[in-house]
Amino acid sequence: GQQLNQSPQSMFIQEGEDVSMNCTSSSIFNTWLWYKQDPGEGPVLLIALYKAGELTSNGRLTAQFGITRKDSFLNISASIPSDVGIYFCAGQEGAQKLVFGQGTRLTINP
Amino acid sequence: EAEVAQSPRYKITEKSQAVAFWCDPISGHATLYWYRQILGQGPELLVQFQDESVVDDSQLPKDRFSAERLKGVDSTLKIQPAELGDSAMYLCASSRLASSNEQFFGPGTRLTVL
């Protein structure tokens, strides 16, 4: 099925570093969501974006809805060990189903 | 905090056997979703319910998969017969309204077909 292009696929960083990841689509979306998934668990909603250009923060996490409506970005500042996991973007157009990216696996070296 | 409940958490079965997964959404959430997540990929929608009615089952392999939400609350997803390629995580999610984009996921059922 249709999926978003999420990059990078994996990241290996040092604790305390900032993290940036992004998601692009060939389709226009009116909603972007960012989820985090720990091993063996379901995804947990981090941030929801509803307007082009919108910038929203949740603690050390900041996400932006791209002005073209075809991309979104997630930044994590001052990473800590509990940030380890897989981050998924998801986009939705109107009442259509959510389309998920392939995920970015974040590994943090202490 | 209200959560989506799923059971079992893990299921191992042999091919050609029948399996069933159960989901109880967050109380008051009218919309319920079943997703399949293959290892290394994002979730893909199998079926969406609005109350007890199916809204979208276009990606559900109907020759072997079935889903029901008889009273518009909890839901069951069944596979019969299971095939090797069905090994995956099966996730249930719910949202308050069909128009709500914010879906909340349960912990999932990890299915292994031998």
Side-chain angles (χ1 to χ4, degrees):
Chain A
Q2 178 190 6
Q3 290 204 333
L4 305 176
N5 182 23
Q6 193 169 344
S7 66
Q9 290 188 350
S10 60
M11 303 183 71
F12 299 85
I13 64 168
Q14 297 293 324
E15 184 177 348
E17 289 184 3
D18 297 343
V19 173
S20 293
M21 61 188 77
N22 68 80
C23 203
T24 60
S25 170
S26 57
S27 304
I28 290 175
F29 290 123
N30 58 16
T31 300
W32 283 96
L33 305 173
W34 285 92
Y35 287 87
K36 178 177 183 279
Q37 187 173 28
D38 292 329
E41 299 294 331
V44 174
L45 182 63
L46 299 174
I47 294 177
L49 302 161
Y50 297 103
K51 187 185 300 184
E54 178 182 357
L55 188 71
T56 298
S57 293
N58 178 5
R60 294 177 296 103
L61 277 63
T62 302
Q64 184 165 22
F65 193 139
I67 58 174
T68 66
R69 297 172 59 195
K70 292 184 176 182
D71 54 9
S72 181
F73 308 87
L74 177 69
N75 295 314
I76 306 172
S77 63
S79 59
I80 59 177
S82 63
D83 292 333
V84 166
I86 302 177
Y87 291 80
F88 288 98
C89 61
Q92 186 175 31
E93 178 185 359
Q96 300 299 311
K97 64 183 181 182
L98 274 184
V99 178
F100 283 81
Q102 300 275 38
T104 293
R105 181 182 296 273
L106 179 62
T107 302
I108 298 176
N109 299 315
Chain B
E1 183 176 298
E3 296 181 341
V4 176
Q6 287 188 249
S7 67
R9 292 292 309 273
Y10 305 93
K11 179 69 178 178
I12 300 174
T13 191
E14 294 184 344
K15 64 180 182 180
S16 79
Q17 296 299 304
V19 293
F21 314 131
W22 176 80
C23 172
D24 191 12
I26 293 172
S27 178
H29 280 199
T31 310
L32 184 147
Y33 313 80
W34 282 102
Y35 286 85
R36 177 168 58 186
Q37 185 178 25
I38 296 171
L39 194 63
Q41 298 183 17
E44 292 189 327
L45 181 69
L46 290 174
V47 61
Q48 176 183 342
F49 288 92
Q50 176 64 31
D51 298 311
E52 67 276 8
S53 300
V54 173
V55 173
D56 183 354
D57 63 357
S58 57
Q59 299 303 309
L60 189 70
K62 299 181 188 62
D63 57 333
R64 297 184 301 108
F65 286 64
S66 64
E68 60 184 16
R69 193 184 183 199
L70 294 177
K71 297 183 179 179
V73 181
D74 59 340
S75 175
T76 302
L77 177 69
K78 297 179 181 178
I79 308 175
Q80 183 174 16
E83 297 181 353
L84 295 177
D86 296 333
S87 294
M89 174 79 91
Y90 290 83
L91 294 162
C92 180
S94 69
S95 62
R96 195 165 59 86
L97 300 170
S99 58
S100 172
N101 310 95
E102 297 182 17
Q103 298 180 20
F104 297 89
F105 285 81
T109 296
R110 167 73 65 189
L111 173 66
T112 301
V113 182
L114 303 176

